[in-house]
Amino acid sequence: ESQRKLQSVRERFRRRADQSLLLWLYECWFAGAHVDVWLDSSEAQQLGGLSQDVAVDRGLGRRTGRHSLWMRLVRSVRAAYTAEELLLRRDSWSTRLEGVQYLTELSMADILFGNTQNSRCLDDLDRACCTWDMWQALRRSAPPLYAKALALIAWDRNLKVLKLKAFIWDYRLKPSSYEETQLREQAACGDDPCTICHEELGRTSCELECGHEFHRECIRTWLLQHSSTCPICRDHAVLPADIPARNNSQPHKGRPCKRSGI
């Protein structure tokens, strides 16, 4: 039973080779590492290369007692690295996926290591606010297509990172010149991935009621095994049982259910 549990943890939370530690931590939290995965020191030591980082993996079992996987991950990452070592400052990002990922990394670094109000968001990462430093880093690195969009937002200390990520993902600039049309077309070419698997969306897409689109199988697995919310905006949604056949070129609409009082 214990080995089956550990294998399930490995399958759910193993870091991808191309994934930064900060993005991986966020995805672990969102997938429930703080809720339903509790491990003692012996179990944590048997997880192997969960993070694909020797220093982090060695630290998972150092704390005695029974703790959530999330707190073991947080303590191990904090002990192994500083914010400067983990956060790769970007000179630029070109797609909405890269923009959302960069903002996630900025907010995770602030939550883990910063001396701001975000340090109180460790148990609920989506409560984090965009600090002035995060805002400046995001705007300075934004391409023209998104720099204009961000200029429409008035920053304040209560601006939620989650709201800003949804804004970046959903924004579509109406081109007023040939140059802007070219920029938009270039962005569209590589800017429509499924945010779950990061592969291009094709004819097998499914659009939730909130308007965000994913591969049918990806969102089905996500909603059944990870969370009942949209991975982008956190609106609650459930898929009907009769998802259309895979070769249907029309995106399928999921059904929303009411957001909780959080």
Side-chain angles (χ1 to χ4, degrees), residues 13-25 27 49-53 86 88 90 97-98 101-102 105 193-200:
F13 298 103
R14 188 182 297 276
R15 177 184 165 212
R16 298 191 305 272
D18 62 343
Q19 194 174 33
S20 73
L21 279 170
L22 291 173
L23 284 176
W24 172 68
L25 277 178
E27 290 195 5
L50 193 68
S51 73
Q52 307 295 308
D53 183 284
L86 282 182
L88 177 62
R90 304 192 189 198
L97 177 60
E98 290 177 357
Q101 288 178 334
Y102 188 35
E105 290 173 331
C194 168
T195 57
I196 299 173
C197 70
H198 298 168
E199 298 292 332
E200 251 184 63

Side-chain angles (χ1 to χ4, degrees), residues 45 66 110 124 162 227 257:
Q45 290 171 0
R66 194 166 184 80
D110 193 61
D124 187 354
L162 180 61
S227 172
C257 59

Side-chain angles (χ1 to χ4, degrees), residues 176-194:
S176 58
S177 69
Y178 175 78
E179 181 181 358
E180 288 181 358
T181 302
Q182 293 296 101
L183 283 170
R184 189 182 183 195
E185 288 176 352
Q186 290 170 11
C189 289
D191 200 21
D192 289 307
C194 168

Side-chain angles (χ1 to χ4, degrees), residues 128-201:
C129 295
C130 181
T131 67
W132 177 250
D133 288 343
M134 291 162 55
W135 176 246
Q136 289 291 86
L138 183 70
R139 288 197 60 180
R140 280 195 298 262
S141 58
L145 183 68
Y146 294 99
K148 287 190 176 184
L150 293 172
L152 301 174
I153 300 176
W155 176 86
D156 69 71
R157 66 191 304 271
N158 295 315
L159 175 63
K160 296 292 186 184
V161 170
L162 180 61
K163 182 177 180 180
L164 187 54
K165 286 195 288 189
F167 178 86
I168 293 171
W169 190 263
D170 294 337
Y171 189 81
R172 285 293 183 271
L173 186 65
K174 294 181 179 179
S176 58
S177 69
Y178 175 78
E179 181 181 358
E180 288 181 358
T181 302
Q182 293 296 101
L183 283 170
R184 189 182 183 195
E185 288 176 352
Q186 290 170 11
C189 289
D191 200 21
D192 289 307
C194 168
T195 57
I196 299 173
C197 70
H198 298 168
E199 298 292 332
E200 251 184 63
L201 283 171

Side-chain angles (χ1 to χ4, degrees), residues 39-46 60-65 72:
L39 305 166
D40 59 32
S41 178
S42 174
E43 290 172 324
Q45 290 171 0
Q46 297 178 61
L60 293 180
R62 285 184 183 151
R63 188 175 176 86
T64 59
R72 289 190 177 278

